[in-house]
Amino acid sequence: MNRTAPGGQSGRMGKPRTRIASADEAAQRAENAQAPKIPNLLGRIAELFAPHRAALVTTIVLVLIGAALSVIPPLLTQRAFDDGLFPKNAAGDALPPDVPQLTWLVVGMIAVFIVSALLAVWQTWLTSTIGNKVMGALRVRLFSHLQSMELSFFTRTKTGVIQSRLQNDVGGVAGVLTNTVSSVLGNTVTVISAFVAMLILNWQLTLVALLLMPFMVIAQRRVGQVRARIAGKTQESLSEMTAITQETLSVSGILLSKSFTRQQSEIDRYADENRNQIGLQVRQQMTGQWFFAMVNIFMSSIPAIVYLVSGWLITGGAADVTAGTIVAFTTVQARLLFPLMGLMRVALDLQTSSALFARIFEYLDLKPAITDAPGAREVPDGPELGRVEFDRVSFRYPDADADGRPTLDEVSFTIEPGQFAAFVGPSGAGKTTVSYLVPRLYEATSGTVRFAGVDVRELRQESLVGRIGIVSQETYLFHASIAENLRYAKPDATDAELEAAARAANIHETVASFPEGYDTVVGERGYRLSGGEKQRIAIARVLLKDPPVLVLDEATSALDTISERVVQAALDDAAKGRTTIAIAHRLTTVVSADVIFVVVAGRIVERGTHAELLGLGGVYASLYREQADLALPAQG
């Protein structure tokens, strides 16, 4: 399977699809062949119902009973006409209505209707409960699986596409999960029972009703293929609309479109996809309507044909064709119409939904590139806790050119517990990649990354990440209160602990000045706060986690000078007593580092203290002078 396909960036799922006329069978087969192919798809769908066996068995019993009861009223109707309303004696002479017998027959029919209605309510509750539980479990399972995927999956996949899988695709199969079992069983039993009843009533009339069934089945299969193809296109269009919405209606997206006066172009883009979605929805609804219209005409015309054939049979001397037989037969035939149509529609729904199930299982079948090794262990406590080592580590991003330069090339260094280490260098040199490899957000292509003296591949990921705190340049805050954002690091933190962490991050006084204090809602991505305030809250959140290793990925590069000084002071306090790895763009923020590594083109070309590197007069000294020269006009 193409691993990049689910992201919509490459592979079959990202390939633009063309509209193919249903009459072009070869093109249709080629289009269907491009859909995700999931081995044993029906078996895997059936497995979703395994935890609900008892409820399913009860549902099946109810369906069978209800279906069997559904054919009793027509047979009672025959008796009501022939024995109750228009009885005859042995000589064939008409007698007055037999009211007592007619009364019992009517009471019997009403009793069957009442029991059937009660069973239908119970069955609906069961099927609805089972279907929604299965759908809910499937949604949580998919969400849980996505949580286990490596970081690179999300860097190459649109957020809107992922949301579409969780919402549109899972939601799109809800009706199938809720109604299919009862519909298939109930309608099947009803159809079989109805045919049996029709044969009991009159075999010649039954043949009339069966003449066009083979043609209906063939037409249904063709309609199902077309609808399945259109359903796949419809879901892809919904994915694109979700992606557009997520990208353009977020705070960042709105700011971008307003800044460049691109609102109308975004509206046009959404409107174009919306028109495509409308067209697909109409096509999906209309596909097969002529087929069902013909079926409806055929089934509705059968009573008239039965009357005509009955006249021929009676004229020919058929003694078993009575008024009761004709009424009962047409009643059974009328009851046959809806379950038969229901079976055909279920078949179409199953074919249509197979594309949605395939998309869901395609995501569930993705294997995380980074997983715990068998026997993975906890990060050991002891004197080595906080030591970070790279031993001849090379790294190339998964989607990078195989013939190009690796992002990191044979990098080796050791950071001792409690040390403040900085990585500096030109943009694109590979500095941030170092911060990704330490917590194993990416896997080293070659070489060994050690944490606390142990290869990170031998450690449980949760234990490893639990010992590392990360403060990045792009601070992410939830649309929640400050207290809730802080407790993301420690859900059971007390108010006193929140305040202590905020004081350590130099943000408590600011928070206390807000009218609602720690209950202040920060807005989406924290847009109600300044950049410096967001960064200090992020630092407080990490301090609440209290990790032995702190990773600072250009945490002050996007701030103004005043905010940078405040945040840097908070970072300096946070770094005390911890191993600190700082990815720095502004060299003034790392002059006090115990060791500075200069990275150029994926290699460490210099290492030492600030003074030592200035003395070398190499890359670091050159970068420092350049930044100092740029700062002079601002100071002047």
Side-chain angles (χ1 to χ4, degrees):
M1 180 172 60
N2 190 329
R3 291 301 304 274
T4 60
Q9 305 303 312
S10 61
R12 61 171 175 267
M13 295 184 67
K15 180 180 178 180
R17 293 172 178 254
T18 56
R19 291 185 174 85
I20 299 174
S22 58
D24 190 347
E25 296 183 6
Q28 180 178 311
R29 285 195 295 269
E31 181 74 13
N32 290 340
Q34 295 180 11
K37 301 300 180 183
I38 306 298
N40 190 29
L41 180 61
L42 291 179
R44 295 183 64 176
I45 295 173
E47 289 175 2
L48 299 174
F49 293 88
H52 309 281
R53 290 189 183 93
L56 277 174
V57 171
T58 304
T59 302
I60 292 171
V61 172
L62 292 177
V63 168
L64 295 176
I65 295 174
L69 289 176
S70 68
V71 298
I72 294 178
L75 299 179
L76 295 177
T77 299
Q78 181 191 32
R79 302 269 56 88
F81 268 81
D82 291 344
D83 301 337
L85 287 171
F86 309 108
K88 294 181 180 180
N89 58 22
D93 298 325
L95 298 175
D98 187 344
V99 176
Q101 184 171 0
L102 182 62
T103 301
W104 281 110
L105 290 169
V106 171
V107 169
M109 282 190 282
I110 294 174
V112 170
F113 294 146
I114 292 173
V115 173
S116 297
L118 293 175
L119 292 178
V121 172
W122 188 6
Q123 174 193 317
T124 300
W125 179 80
L126 281 173
T127 55
S128 178
T129 302
I130 294 170
N132 282 286
K133 284 185 176 180
V134 170
M135 184 180 68
L138 183 61
R139 183 179 284 121
V140 172
R141 179 181 168 191
L142 181 57
F143 183 86
S144 176
H145 184 69
L146 289 171
Q147 288 283 334
S148 70
M149 293 301 295
E150 70 279 3
L151 183 62
S152 62
F153 170 80
F154 298 95
T155 61
R156 68 175 184 262
T157 308
K158 290 182 178 179
T159 304
V161 173
I162 297 174
Q163 290 175 341
S164 180
R165 294 293 171 105
L166 283 168
Q167 297 170 9
N168 299 332
D169 290 356
V170 177
V173 300
V176 176
L177 292 175
T178 303
N179 302 318
T180 298
V181 175
S182 61
S183 182
V184 170
L185 287 174
N187 290 329
T188 300
V189 175
T190 300
V191 168
I192 294 174
S193 301
F195 278 137
V196 171
M198 290 165 66
L199 286 171
I200 292 173
L201 292 169
N202 189 279
W203 67 268
Q204 295 100 324
L205 297 179
T206 303
L207 290 178
V208 175
L210 296 179
L211 286 177
L212 297 180
M213 290 299 163
F215 301 100
M216 294 165 61
V217 173
I218 294 172
Q220 179 269 329
R221 289 191 62 186
R222 289 178 58 84
V223 172
Q225 290 177 343
V226 177
R227 289 189 66 178
R229 176 173 55 82
I230 296 175
K233 289 185 176 182
T234 302
Q235 290 306 119
E236 288 181 2
S237 176
L238 283 174
S239 295
E240 184 62 26
M241 290 185 70
T242 303
I244 294 172
T245 302
Q246 191 274 333
E247 289 174 352
T248 59
L249 294 185
S250 64
V251 174
S252 299
I254 286 291
L255 282 174
L256 184 65
S257 64
K258 287 183 178 294
S259 299
F260 289 90
T261 62
R262 296 280 294 179
Q263 296 100 315
Q264 189 57 50
S265 65
E266 296 297 343
I267 293 171
D268 292 341
R269 186 159 68 107
Y270 187 85
D272 287 343
E273 193 58 46
N274 186 55
R275 280 191 291 272
N276 182 37
Q277 176 65 208
I278 291 172
L280 288 170
Q281 290 284 3
V282 171
R283 287 178 63 198
Q284 187 170 355
Q285 291 296 323
M286 290 305 298
T287 299
Q289 290 305 308
W290 284 110
F291 164 69
F292 286 116
M294 294 300 294
V295 172
N296 193 29
I297 292 172
F298 165 69
M299 298 296 288
S300 300
S301 300
I302 288 181
I305 299 174
V306 167
Y307 299 149
L308 178 61
V309 174
S310 297
W312 292 341
L313 292 175
I314 293 172
T315 303
D320 59 340
V321 180
T322 64
T325 300
I326 296 172
V327 172
F329 191 92
T330 53
T331 302
V332 174
Q333 182 273 323
R335 295 180 67 86
L336 177 65
L337 171 62
F338 292 106
L340 190 60
M341 295 284 286
L343 276 178
M344 293 184 176
R345 288 189 182 275
V346 166
L348 289 178
D349 289 340
L350 286 174
Q351 287 178 301
T352 301
S353 299
S354 64
L356 306 184
F357 277 115
R359 286 161 60 89
I360 294 169
F361 284 120
E362 185 179 30
Y363 258 31
L364 288 174
D365 289 343
L366 292 174
K367 301 298 183 184
I370 301 174
T371 57
D372 288 339
R377 55 196 179 106
E378 304 290 323
V379 173
D381 292 321
E384 290 194 80
L385 181 60
R387 176 176 287 118
V388 176
E389 303 170 74
F390 275 43
D391 183 7
R392 301 176 64 84
V393 171
S394 294
F395 176 77
R396 190 188 304 274
Y397 282 97
D399 55 352
D401 186 357
D403 298 327
R405 175 182 63 81
T407 305
L408 292 180
D409 187 10
E410 298 284 327
V411 171
S412 297
F413 62 81
T414 299
I415 303 172
E416 298 296 338
Q419 264 193 329
F420 179 8
F423 289 82
V424 303
S427 297
K431 307 184 297 297
T432 296
T433 302
V434 172
S435 70
Y436 289 155
L437 296 182
V438 175
R440 206 185 171 204
L441 298 178
Y442 284 91
E443 194 84 275
T445 305
S446 63
T448 304
V449 178
R450 297 187 184 90
F451 187 89
V454 182
D455 189 333
V456 294
R457 290 168 292 192
E458 299 176 9
L459 297 172
R460 288 185 59 247
Q461 288 178 281
E462 186 174 345
S463 177
L464 173 63
V465 177
R467 299 303 186 97
I468 301 172
I470 302 174
V471 180
S472 64
Q473 176 182 346
E474 296 183 7
T475 301
Y476 191 94
L477 298 181
F478 295 102
H479 184 72
S481 68
I482 293 173
E484 289 172 315
N485 273 283
L486 292 175
R487 285 196 173 96
Y488 193 76
K490 188 179 181 182
D492 58 349
T494 64
D495 290 344
E497 289 175 317
L498 295 186
E499 182 176 333
R503 287 187 182 278
N506 294 334
I507 191 62
H508 171 71
E509 299 299 331
T510 302
V511 174
S513 69
F514 297 152
E516 298 180 10
Y518 284 87
D519 292 327
T520 301
V521 176
V522 302
E524 185 179 357
R525 299 180 67 89
Y527 270 93
R528 293 182 63 186
L529 305 176
S530 69
E533 290 168 346
K534 287 193 294 184
Q535 282 290 44
R536 282 179 284 162
I537 289 176
I539 294 168
R541 185 167 57 189
V542 169
L543 291 176
L544 200 60
K545 182 180 180 180
D546 194 22
V549 174
L550 190 62
V551 176
L552 310 175
D553 185 6
E554 302 197 29
T556 64
S557 64
L559 302 178
D560 59 77
T561 304
I562 296 176
S563 297
E564 179 188 358
R565 290 172 182 170
V566 177
V567 172
Q568 189 60 48
L571 290 173
D572 291 340
D573 290 339
K576 292 177 181 177
R578 311 174 197 272
T579 302
T580 302
I581 301 174
I583 311 301
H585 174 71
R586 297 178 182 175
L587 303 186
T588 54
T589 63
V590 297
V591 293
S592 61
D594 297 314
V595 59
I596 300 172
F597 300 99
V598 182
V599 184
V600 177
R603 289 178 172 271
I604 295 178
V605 296
E606 296 175 359
R607 66 185 72 196
T609 64
H610 170 70
E612 291 170 345
L613 293 175
L614 285 180
L616 287 177
V619 175
Y620 179 85
S622 177
L623 289 173
Y624 190 81
R625 285 194 299 270
E626 288 177 5
Q627 292 190 12
D629 291 341
L630 290 173
L632 286 177
Q635 294 174 359

